[in-house]
């Protein structure tokens, strides 16, 4: 296959449509969260991921796993964690079994903000998806996203 191969051109077009859908969704969520909660979409995603940790086996995520979950580099994730920690939304502590390991947890204030922001995030997501269904090239992607609702996404 070459770069001008029709299959590659179609694949590139599909990727562009997916990227466009993602951008529209993220933009709508970003604006809604900023306006209502002074929270970015990445900050919300980080709080959401960290809020699902638990004390059982494998319940705490390493920074690498957190970075993968919020689709950021490890250094950008560390800066984001520091920013939220400075706002009192996260706390860090040493792992009890490995003093080299540092875990991050959502504080009570962080959980409160996350609980307040969740309906805003969900409404903005729904609005973005509904708006995208009117664009013929995006409607099939919206349908595919909606089909994924019942399937857990691995972190």
């Amino acid at each position: 296959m070459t770069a001008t191969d029709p299959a590659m051109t179609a694949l590139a077009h599909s990727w562009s449509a997916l990227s466009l859908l993602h951008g529209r969704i993220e933009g709508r969520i970003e604006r809604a969260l900023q306006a209502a909660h002074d929270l970015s979409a990445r900050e919300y995603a980080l709080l959401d991921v960290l809020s699902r940790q638990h004390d059982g086996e494998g319940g705490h995520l390493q920074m690498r796993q957190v970075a993968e979950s919020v689709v950021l580099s490890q250094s950008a994730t560390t800066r984001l964690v520091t920013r939220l920690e400075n706002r009192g939304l996260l706390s860090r502590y040493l792992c009890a079994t490995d003093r080299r390991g540092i875990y991050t947890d959502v504080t009570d204030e962080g959980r409160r903000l996350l609980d307040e922001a969740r309906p805003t995030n969900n409404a903005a997501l729904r609005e973005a998806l509904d708006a995208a269904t009117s664009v013929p090239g995006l409607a099939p992607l919206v349908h595919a996203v909606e089909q994924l609702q019942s399937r857990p996404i691995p972190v």
Side-chain angles (χ1 to χ4, degrees):
M1 265 189 231
T2 66
T4 56
D5 184 310
M8 288 303 296
T9 302
L11 184 61
H13 179 73
S14 297
W15 171 247
S16 292
L18 181 59
S19 181
L20 176 63
L21 178 62
H22 176 268
R24 286 181 177 203
I25 292 169
E26 190 169 55
R28 173 114 20 160
I29 290 172
E30 182 77 27
R31 288 186 299 277
L33 289 173
Q34 280 290 343
H37 308 284
D38 192 29
L39 200 60
S40 74
R42 297 286 180 167
E43 291 169 337
Y44 174 87
L46 180 64
L47 288 171
D48 184 50
V49 165
L50 292 174
S51 74
R52 289 185 261 126
Q53 297 182 119
H54 55 84
D55 289 331
E57 181 71 29
H60 286 278
L61 299 173
Q62 297 171 347
M63 194 57 72
R64 174 189 54 77
Q65 295 168 304
V66 173
E68 289 172 2
S69 296
V70 295
V71 193
L72 289 173
S73 68
Q74 281 189 258
S75 61
T77 301
T78 299
R79 288 191 300 275
L80 185 58
V81 166
T82 299
R83 192 164 61 243
L84 292 179
E85 184 179 32
N86 290 341
R87 287 178 59 185
L89 304 175
L90 297 177
S91 62
R92 293 186 229 199
Y93 62 94
L94 291 174
C95 173
T97 58
D98 180 359
R99 302 300 282 176
R100 296 170 295 171
I102 299 175
Y103 290 133
T104 304
D105 266 337
V106 181
T107 64
D108 290 341
E109 178 68 16
R111 286 186 194 287
R112 184 194 58 74
L113 180 58
L114 181 61
D115 289 344
E116 290 173 3
R118 187 168 276 119
T120 304
N121 178 79
N122 294 347
L125 173 60
R126 183 73 264 162
E127 291 166 6
L129 290 172
D130 289 348
T133 60
S134 67
V135 180
L138 299 181
L141 293 172
V142 171
H143 178 71
V145 167
E146 290 170 338
Q147 295 304 304
L148 292 172
Q149 289 181 48
S150 62
R151 297 183 185 115
I153 305 298
V155 177

